[in-house]
Amino acid sequence: MIEWNNIEKKWRSKWQAEKDFETNPNDKEKKFITVAYPYPNSPQHIGHGRTYTLADVHARFYRMQGYNVLFPMGFHYTGTPILGMAKRVESEDKEILDGLRNIYHVPEKDIQTFVEPIKIADYFHQEIKAGMIEMGYSIDWRREFTTIDPAYSKFIEWQINTLKEKNLIIQGSHPVGWCPRDQNPVSQHDTLGDVEPDFTEYILIKFRFDDYIIPTATLRPETIFGVTNLWVNSKTNYKKILVDGEKWIVSKECAHKLEFLDKEISYEGEILGADLIGKQVTIPHRNEKIPMLEASFVESGTGTGLVMSVPAHAPFDYQALEDYKENQTQSSDFHLLKPISIISTDEYGEFPAQEVVEKLRISNQNDPKLEEATTEVYGKEFYGGTLKGNCEQFAGKKVSDAKDLIKDWLNENKFSDILLELTNSPVRCRCGTECVVKILSNQWFLNYGDKDWKEKANSCLDKMSILPQEIVNEFHYVVGWLRERACARQHGLGTKLPWDKDWIVESLSDSVIYMAFYTIQRFVQDGTLQPEKMSKEFFDYVFLGKGSAENIPGFSKDVMEKIRKEFSYFYPVDSRHSGRDLVPNHLTFFVLNHTAIFPENQWPKQIVVNGSVLMDGKKMSKSMGNIIPLRQAISDYGADPIRLAIIISAELLQDADFNLESVSGIKHKLETILEECSRLKLSKIEILEPEDNWILSKLQNLVSNVTFSIEKMRLREALHEILFAFEADLSWYLKRANAKGRTDFDGILHQIFSTRIKLLSPFAPHIAEEIWERLGNTGLVSKLNWPEVSSESIDSKAIQSEDLLKSIMEDISNILKVTKINPRQITIYTANQFKITSYKSILEKVMDGQTNMGAIMKEMIANPETSDIKKNPDFVQKTIKDILSEPTEIRKTKMKTQIDEKIILSEELIAIAKKDFDAEVLVFAEGDSDIYDPKGKAKHARPFKPAILIE
RNA sequence: GCGGGAGUCGCCCAGCCUGGCCAAAGGCGUAGGGCUUAGGACCCUAUCUCUUAGGAGUUCGUGGGUUCAAAUCCCACCUCCCGCACCA
C-alpha cells in the first residue's frame, strides 16, 4: 500500500527547502510561463486544475531542458460576482449558504464573515493557493499578488493612463441591464435565477396622427415599404406623453421603458385603443394614409404596444389581416387591403407570410406557431432576400445590406427612433424589482475597433506561436469583429479610474498586461518598492525604458537599474496558458494591449489554449452536484494520479472527460512502476545481446517522440508514449530475454526505467522523485537534464533483426491458427544470395521512384548480375509489393545496413519459438547442401520473408 | 448567417498534422478458459467476412479527385457540437 500523501509531502518539502522554484535572473536563457490567474469566488475544482497542470508540466519540462524558468501566480479580486455573493450571504439566501456549507465545506465561522466581499476573496484565495501547492505546481510564490494590492492599483493606473494618452480610451453611451430600485447595472450574477440580461434593439417608425406621433417597434425597418396598416389592441389604455418635446402615443409599459433611455418624458393624458381604431395615420416618408385596425395579438408590454402591419412578409400581420376580414360583418374600404410584396427570394413566391402560415396550418393570430413562422421568414429573407422595385432608392439591394442603410436613412430624416428592451423579460434583480434597459452616458471604452490597433494585433498573432495551431483563425476572427468595449464599471472591487473616480476599471481590462507586474512584485514583497512612490516615471522607466535610472523620484539609481534588469530579463512572456473560453475575450485583449503598450520585442511569444473538463462525460455544475473540489480529490487519490488523469484524457483543445476509474487506473499503473523499480539495482552488463541493443534503440525512439510531442504541447500523446505505448516494446523485450533464460538484464531495465522516470518527471513530479530515489539514484530528478537523443545508440541492425523475428513469429501463429496443426518441428528457409542481390537491386529502383514492374524487370535483365531473374517474375512482383508496403524510413535502413538472416534466426529464434510453440526449430538457407526440404518450400523464400515449414 | 470543431470496426475513443509495418491501439461490452465453495476481483484467449499455410475480400459520414499506395492529402455535400460581447 502506497501512502501517496506522505510521498507527496516529502518531496514538496524538499523542493521548498531547496527553493527550487524561486527564479531570479542569471546567465542561462529564460522561459517565462504564465497562466490566467484565478478569480477566488469558489475553491478550485478538477476543471480549474487542467490549465494550471498543463502550464506546470510546460514549466518543469523547460526547467529540465536547462532554461531558467519563471512560473508565477496572482489572484484576480476584481469583479462583481463576489459582490453578488456577499449580498446573498447577507440576505441569508438558502441556495448560496447550502452551497458554501455542503459543496465547498467552508467552516461556519468563515461563512459568518462572508457578508464582506473581501473576506470571500481572501478565504478562497488561501484555499486555492493551498491546492496549487498540494498539486505540486512549481510556482515562485515570492511574486504573488492580488489585484487590489496598492502596488497593483498603481500599475493599473499607469496602464490605463498610458492607453488614454494613446487615445485608445474613448467615452460614449452604452446600454446596460439596470435595476431601477438599486440604481445600479445588473449582470447575470445580480439577477434572480442568474439570467443574463440580453437586449433587443427595436427601430421605432414614427407614424403621424394629427399633431401626435404613433411609433411602432420593428426589427425589420426595410419592411416600411410594405406597410398596409397599423394594428391596435382595442382594450389597451394608451398614454399620451411628451418625449423630448414631441407628442407620442404609446403603451404605459413603453413609456416606462423610455424613461431610462436618455429621454425626457412627461405624461399628458390617455386614449383608449378602441378610440384609435378606424382612424388614419400618415406614413413618415410618403404623404400616404393608412388605417389603424383591431388585432388581439398586439401586447402592450412589447415594443410600443402598437404594431406596423406588413402582411406580405410578417406571418402575424398576415394572419391578423385574415382574421380581420373574416370578422367584418359588413364590407368596408379596409376589406380591400392587400399585402404589398417588397422582397424576392428563391425560397418563396410573392407572399412569404401567407405561404408559411398555410404550410404550418396556422388558423388564428393567437397560434404559438406564428413565432416559428416569423423566425423562418425573417431568416430566409434576411440572408437570401433582395428588395423589389417598389423600395425606392434601395431597390435591388440584398436585405442583409439594405437593413442598416435603411436604418440610417430613417434616422437621418427623423422618421425613426430607437427603443431598447430586455429580450428575455421579465428579468428580475435579486431585490425583486423588474429590470429595464438603461443607456449609460459617459461610459468609458477601450477602442478595440481602431484599425491600426487591429493591424498590430494581427501582426503579433502572425509572429507568435498559437497552440494548437487550428485555433489561430479564431483569434484573427475575434480581432476582426471586436468594437469598443466598456472598460469601467460603477461597482465592484478593483482600481478606480484615475481621471474619474466614480468608475472602477473593469475586470477584463485590468488583467491584460499584468504578467509584467510579476517581474517587479518580489521587490514589493521584500520592501524594496513602496507602492505610494510608484509613479508614472517609475513605470515608464521600468517597462518602457523611458528616462534614466537616476532621475526617478523616490528610488535610487541602483534600485531602478535592478528592477529594469529584472523586467528586461524575463519579458516578453514566452508562453501563456488559458482555457478556450478566454479566446474571444481575455486572450485577445492580452495580445491587443501588449501591442498597444509595449514595443514589438516585448510582445508575447506564445499562447497555449486548452479545452474544458467534463465529469463523467457531463458538464460540471453546482446544480448537478458533480463538482469535486481539487483539494478533496488530492487527499483521496493523490496529486500525481489526478495530474495524469487530466492530461491523458484529452489532447489540448478537446474537452477532457475526467472520471474516477481513469484516476484509479493511472494510480495502479504508477504503483506497478514504483514496485518494479524498487526491485531494480544499478548494475553493469558486459556483453549486450541483440534484444538489449534493440530495446535501448527503442528507448532512444521514446525519448525523441516524447520530446517532440511536449514541444508541441501534445501532452496526452507524450504521456501515452511514456506510460503505455512503450510497454509493448518492453514486453517483447522481456519475452525474448526470459525465453533465453537470462537473469542478467536488471542493469538494462534500470537504465530504461531511469530514463523513463526522467520523462515522467514533469507530469508526475512527486512519484517520479520517489521512484528515482528507490532506483538508487542520487539527487532530485526534477533538477536533472532532460534525456538527449543520441543517434549513435540507435542500432539499426538490432531493429531489423527483431522486426524479422517478430514477423516470423506472427507468420507461424497465423499458419497454426488456420491449419490447427499441433507443431513438433518448424523449419525456416532464408533466401539465397542471388535473391538478396536482386532484392537490393529492386529496393534501389523503388527508392529512385520506379514502381513499375515491367520497367524494373527490364532493367534487371539488362544487368548480367541479375538477369537470371527472368525465370522468377513472381519474386519481383512480390518483392515490389513487400517494399512498397513499408514506410520510407524502414526502406532507408534496409538500404544502409544488411543483416544475415540465417545467423540471426539460428541464434535467436530457437529459444522463443520453443517457448511459444513448444517446437524444435531448424534453419537453412535456400540452396544449402544439407537442406531438409521435403515439401519444396525453400524456393518461396524472400529476403525478410523466409519460407516456413511446420510439421 | 459568420467563425471554429467533430463524424473511425456493438459502444467510448486513438490514429489524420508528418500517406505505406493499418483490418486500424486502448477501454467497455460479448464469448470461451483459468482461479474461486459460489459471487466479485484478477489473469489468459477470441471478437468485420471468408479461408486446413503465413492468404483474400469489404470497411474509417457521403460522393468525387490526387497517388504505385488514402482513415490520413484536395474538392463538393450531409449531420452534430461550440462561440457571436461588456460576463468572469
Side-chain angles (χ1 to χ4, degrees), chain A residues 447-459 461 472-484 583-585 588-589 591-592:
Chain A
N447 190 10
Y448 290 138
D450 187 277
K451 267 214 183 84
D452 294 343
W453 199 357
K454 283 175 191 276
E455 217 166 274
K456 270 175 147 182
N458 278 324
S459 110
L461 286 168
V472 68
N473 286 334
E474 213 166 314
F475 278 99
H476 283 298
Y477 181 70
V478 172
V479 169
W481 64 249
L482 274 176
R483 300 282 172 265
E484 302 78 20
V583 171
N585 42 68
T588 306
F589 303 160
V591 170
L592 277 158

Side-chain angles (χ1 to χ4, degrees), chain A residues 111-213:
Chain A
I111 295 180
Q112 302 302 318
T113 68
F114 279 11
V115 291
E116 264 182 85
I118 292 258
K119 298 286 185 197
I120 299 178
D122 284 342
Y123 177 85
F124 290 119
H125 170 178
Q126 294 312 324
E127 179 75 13
I128 292 168
K129 181 177 174 183
M132 288 177 164
I133 293 171
E134 285 164 6
M135 279 293 270
Y137 297 152
S138 52
I139 292 167
D140 182 352
W141 289 108
R142 299 171 308 157
R143 298 171 188 270
E144 176 189 0
F145 60 83
T146 83
T147 58
I148 58 166
D149 291 354
Y152 190 81
S153 281
K154 290 283 180 185
F155 169 72
I156 294 304
E157 282 176 19
W158 171 78
Q159 173 206 322
I160 212 92
N161 274 326
T162 305
L163 289 168
K164 185 138 188 286
E165 279 164 26
K166 292 176 186 267
N167 290 322
L168 295 171
I169 294 185
I170 55 174
Q171 205 172 21
S173 60
H174 181 66
V176 292
W178 182 262
C179 172
R181 185 167 155 234
D182 292 353
Q183 292 282 301
N184 241 333
V186 287
S187 62
Q188 188 172 350
H189 322 280
D190 309 310
T191 60
L192 288 176
D194 281 338
V195 186
E196 174 73 38
D198 199 8
F199 325 122
T200 305
E201 186 191 270
Y202 288 107
I203 310 296
L204 296 184
I205 309 280
K206 293 159 128 182
F207 292 90
R208 293 195 301 278
F209 176 62
D210 300 334
D211 54 342
Y212 280 93
I213 284 170

Side-chain angles (χ1 to χ4, degrees), chain A residues 4 196 215 283 319 341 476 619 730 773 776 785 846-847 875 943:
Chain A
W4 283 87
E196 174 73 38
I283 299 178
Q319 187 58 46
S341 175
H476 283 298
K619 230 176 145 166
L730 205 55
E773 189 183 64
N785 286 335
V846 172
M847 289 293 272
F875 172 81

Side-chain angles (χ1 to χ4, degrees), chain A residues 267-283:
Chain A
Y267 291 82
E268 303 215 306
E270 295 184 347
I271 181 167
L272 194 64
D275 295 337
L276 291 172
I277 286 166
K279 307 223 165 99
Q280 305 242 329
V281 294
T282 311
I283 299 178

Side-chain angles (χ1 to χ4, degrees), chain A residues 218-416:
Chain A
T218 181
L219 292 169
R220 307 182 62 187
E222 68 277 11
T223 59
I224 189 174
F225 297 110
V227 64
T228 58
N229 60 289
L230 299 194
W231 296 118
V232 178
N233 192 324
S234 61
K235 298 186 186 83
T236 302
N237 206 0
Y238 294 93
K239 299 281 176 194
K240 293 179 171 173
I241 57 174
L242 202 61
V243 180
D244 291 340
E246 288 178 352
K247 293 163 145 189
W248 286 19
I249 295 174
V250 296
S251 71
K252 185 177 148 213
E253 291 90 334
C254 176
H256 176 68
K257 286 172 204 159
L258 289 169
E259 290 178 39
F260 298 92
L261 298 177
D262 226 11
K263 293 190 187 305
E264 279 298 318
I265 309 283
S266 59
Y267 291 82
E268 303 215 306
E270 295 184 347
I271 181 167
L272 194 64
D275 295 337
L276 291 172
I277 286 166
K279 307 223 165 99
Q280 305 242 329
V281 294
T282 311
I283 299 178
H285 66 288
R286 287 180 196 159
N287 230 347
E288 195 181 310
K289 290 195 189 256
I290 53 170
M292 292 189 272
L293 304 177
E294 156 78 21
S296 59
F297 79 91
V298 178
E299 289 169 22
S300 60
T302 306
T304 60
L306 294 114
V307 172
M308 140 180 132
S309 170
V310 188
H313 303 283
F316 272 105
D317 298 342
Y318 172 78
Q319 187 58 46
L321 188 61
E322 288 295 294
D323 293 354
Y324 174 81
K325 287 180 181 171
E326 196 162 306
N327 293 339
Q328 278 317 85
T329 44
Q330 62 201 63
S331 72
S332 70
D333 291 350
F334 309 140
H335 215 112
L336 303 171
L337 278 181
K338 278 218 165 69
I340 301 171
S341 175
I342 58 153
I343 296 169
S344 69
T345 49
D346 296 341
E347 212 95 10
Y348 303 116
E350 202 172 4
F351 302 118
Q354 178 180 6
E355 282 178 39
V356 176
V357 161
E358 283 166 6
K359 186 180 89 185
L360 295 176
R361 295 164 198 271
I362 290 165
S363 56
N364 70 74
Q365 61 189 287
N366 299 312
D367 192 326
K369 285 204 291 278
L370 276 167
E371 291 289 348
E372 185 190 327
T374 302
T375 313
E376 182 186 323
V377 175
Y378 183 100
K380 296 261 164 71
E381 292 190 335
F382 180 75
Y383 296 114
T386 309
L387 292 178
K388 290 187 175 173
N390 52 3
C391 297
E392 305 186 5
Q393 69 266 46
F394 304 102
K397 291 205 186 310
K398 291 204 286 193
V399 175
S400 51
D401 297 335
K403 191 173 162 168
D404 281 342
L405 296 174
I406 293 175
K407 196 170 130 186
D408 293 344
W409 167 71
L410 288 168
N411 185 38
E412 280 159 23
N413 289 288
K414 310 255 187 278
F415 296 152
S416 69

